[in-house]
Amino acid sequence: MKLHAKLFWTALVFFFIVHLWLAFKPHMVIWDEAVYMGMGKYLYSAGGAGLWEMFRPILLPFILGGFWKAGFDPVFFGEITAILFSLGFVILTYFLGREVFGDEVGALGGLIVLLTPLFFLHTGRLLTDIPSAFFVLLALYLLVKKHFLWSGFASGLALLMRFPHGLIVFAAAAILLLPELRKGLGQYGRYLLGVGFTIIPFFIFNYFMY
């Protein structure tokens, strides 16, 4: 393993250990985190507990509410999940950079993310920013690897985690359709099929909910 790759993986392990240690410390729940947990309780109790804000995405409440319904602490296990999303984001940064530009650029990109103070601060927070960015990067990586159906599926999850990240659908259109329209139509069709697998159930939910 080359030196830059060793530095990246060593930093990633250290990053994980630090945040795992912080997960066992008291977590001051901020307003948005409390809302997502309340929405999760509302989902799994059919409105018997928690609260609902219709303009917020549904995927994070679905995850946190699942912990609550199973009898686990949604704060602690939500924080562990958030840490795993952050690790996945960094790893995808490395692999995507390596795939497009080479191993050195991938390792440097991953290290820059790890050393960004705002990223470090939000790792472990029960918020949608990093998890949705993880799904966007996953969708892009799968596009590069030509797994169009799964890329669409990941894009749909990004939208359900944070609505503005649905813009990845239009970015994918530019990536797939601009180089060669005729060939890209079939690829984009498979991509949209993957998107549909995630967002059509959400539309059906909205129909009965509202």
Side-chain angles (χ1 to χ4, degrees):
M1 185 181 293
K2 296 181 180 179
L3 178 60
H4 51 265
K6 289 181 179 179
L7 286 174
F8 168 75
W9 291 110
T10 301
L12 188 68
V13 170
F14 180 74
F15 177 88
F16 173 70
I17 292 172
V18 168
H19 279 286
L20 189 62
W21 175 74
L22 291 173
F24 287 91
K25 300 292 182 180
H27 183 125
M28 179 68 71
V29 177
I30 61 176
W31 172 256
D32 285 349
E33 294 177 307
V35 170
Y36 289 127
M37 285 190 289
M39 289 177 65
K41 293 179 181 180
Y42 190 96
L43 275 174
Y44 283 90
S45 66
L51 57 91
W52 189 256
E53 290 189 357
M54 61 183 297
F55 57 86
R56 291 184 186 267
I58 196 173
L59 186 53
L60 183 58
F62 182 80
I63 295 171
L64 296 176
F67 290 132
W68 172 76
K69 185 67 175 179
F72 299 117
D73 178 8
V75 177
F76 175 76
F77 284 95
E79 189 167 354
I80 296 298
T81 303
I83 292 170
L84 294 177
F85 272 123
S86 296
L87 288 175
F89 179 81
V90 176
I91 292 171
L92 280 172
T93 300
Y94 169 68
F95 280 117
L96 186 60
R98 188 177 71 172
E99 190 73 27
V100 178
F101 301 108
D103 194 63
E104 290 186 7
V105 173
L108 179 60
L111 285 171
I112 289 173
V113 173
L114 282 175
L115 296 174
T116 302
L118 192 62
F119 180 80
F120 189 91
L121 176 66
H122 282 271
T123 293
R125 287 290 187 185
L126 313 183
L127 300 173
T128 61
D129 309 65
I130 294 176
S132 60
F134 163 81
F135 286 120
V136 168
L137 274 189
L138 180 60
L140 290 174
Y141 180 75
L142 292 170
L143 268 184
V144 170
K145 302 295 285 186
K146 301 188 184 303
H147 300 304
F148 304 113
L149 181 67
W150 289 109
S151 176
F153 188 80
S155 298
L157 292 177
L159 185 151
L160 295 183
M161 185 64 78
R162 188 175 179 85
F163 292 136
H165 278 173
L167 290 171
I168 182 62
V169 176
F170 301 101
I175 293 170
L176 294 175
L177 297 178
L178 287 181
E180 187 179 342
L181 184 59
R182 182 179 299 178
K183 181 179 178 181
L185 281 174
Q187 296 173 343
Y188 194 58
R190 294 197 295 276
Y191 173 86
L192 288 179
L193 184 62
V195 174
F197 283 144
T198 54
I199 65 172
I200 289 176
F202 176 62
F203 291 153
I204 295 172
F205 168 82
N206 282 347
Y207 177 81
F208 287 103
M209 183 74 175
Y210 304 118

